Amino acid sequence: DTEVTQTPKHLVMGMTNKKSLKCEQHMGHRAMYWYKQKAKKPPELMFVYSYEKLSINESVPSRFSPECPNSSLLNLHLHALQPEDSALYLCASSQKPASSYEQYFGPGTRLTVT
Amino acid sequence: AQSVTQLGSHVSVSEGALVLLRCNYSSSVPPYLFWYVQYPNQGLQLLLKYTSAATLVKGINGFEAEFKKSETSFHLTKPSAHMSDAAEYFCAVSDQRQAGTALIFGKGTTLSVSS
């Protein structure tokens, strides 16, 4: 089973709201990732968690706050977002945080900021 | 820094025709390369990966790719296109950094298949 699940599938939020995206995998993977994908563009890396510790932050604005409560779960907390933050947010995981390991992606959360 | 370039943002083929999607990489070390497919409003699905074990890599759905170091290429092919192959295809290279790994994607190629 190579499944990564993400909830919710769609999210509409105002600029003053606080919401969270959730990602889960039960493959025993020890690296988890958040990517942002705008329409007609490739995914762009936001954060990497290696062994439940934040290892890469691609200079993401502080209105995005990641959290890794355990090895199976990854959250992305959203606060005071801007309309330009509307995008598809993809979660991925890999067996280990090393180059040779492929990443498995979830279906994404389609976020609209109004 | 490692990077990939996908030549051709849009490729159109007829059903049953050969599919060829081009990817060239730039890397100072032996690269780990991947092809992913994305159907509308879905996440990315791994088609195949190159990790130096063999230069010709077979993936899912009849796709394969050949790693050519002399040409710094990793082109994706399929002998006979099917309507269901219409999607967005991304080539990616794995960028090992001190603190972790990042996938660097090409800009993508949209494959259209006509009957």
Side-chain angles (χ1 to χ4, degrees):
Chain A
D1 183 15
T2 56
E3 188 178 26
V4 176
T5 59
Q6 291 188 243
T7 54
K9 190 171 184 177
H10 299 277
L11 178 63
V12 179
M13 60 185 291
M15 289 189 286
T16 58
N17 291 159
K18 285 185 180 181
K19 296 287 184 182
S20 296
L21 309 184
K22 178 180 173 182
C23 172
E24 202 160 6
Q25 57 87 14
H26 295 288
M27 297 177 279
H29 288 181
R30 303 309 302 277
M32 296 186 77
Y33 312 79
W34 280 115
Y35 289 84
K36 174 181 178 180
Q37 185 180 26
K38 301 284 277 185
K40 305 295 184 184
K41 298 290 187 181
E44 294 180 340
L45 183 69
M46 298 175 72
F47 303 103
V48 179
Y49 273 83
S50 304
Y51 302 100
E52 295 92 68
K53 293 189 188 303
L54 184 63
S55 59
I56 296 178
N57 176 342
E58 292 286 84
S59 303
V60 178
S62 60
R63 57 185 183 269
F64 294 92
S65 176
E67 178 196 22
C68 189
N70 58 59
S71 60
S72 300
L73 192 56
L74 187 65
N75 297 319
L76 186 62
H77 303 296
L78 315 172
H79 173 56
L81 295 191
Q82 304 297 310
E84 59 265 29
D85 296 322
S86 298
L88 181 67
Y89 288 83
L90 295 163
C91 174
S93 71
S94 64
Q95 186 176 347
K96 293 182 181 180
S99 298
S100 60
Y101 292 95
E102 62 270 29
Q103 295 184 22
Y104 294 94
F105 285 79
T109 293
R110 177 74 62 184
L111 174 67
T112 303
V113 182
T114 61
Chain B
Q2 303 192 75
S3 66
V4 289
T5 302
Q6 291 184 243
L7 301 175
S9 60
H10 200 145
V11 171
S12 297
V13 301
S14 299
E15 193 172 23
L18 172 71
V19 175
L20 171 60
L21 305 183
R22 301 177 187 273
C23 174
N24 287 89
Y25 69 89
S26 174
S27 175
S28 57
V29 297
Y32 294 106
L33 296 162
F34 306 84
W35 275 100
Y36 285 87
V37 61
Q38 186 175 32
Y39 298 98
N41 299 313
Q42 294 188 26
L44 278 70
Q45 181 182 14
L46 179 69
L47 283 175
L48 47 81
K49 67 175 184 178
Y50 169 74
T51 57
S52 77
T55 56
L56 183 62
V57 181
K58 293 189 183 298
I60 62 171
N61 301 340
F63 285 94
E64 63 182 35
E66 186 172 10
F67 176 77
K68 292 187 177 180
K69 185 177 179 180
S70 60
E71 299 177 8
T72 61
S73 68
F74 189 55
H75 301 332
L76 182 71
T77 60
K78 182 174 181 178
S80 178
H82 192 271
M83 297 292 285
S84 60
D85 294 326
E88 188 78 14
Y89 291 79
F90 293 101
C91 180
V93 63
S94 192
D95 184 25
Q96 184 69 53
R97 305 176 188 177
Q98 190 172 7
T101 301
L103 267 182
I104 309 299
F105 289 89
K107 292 186 176 181
T109 297
T110 303
L111 176 65
S112 300
V113 182
S114 58
S115 58

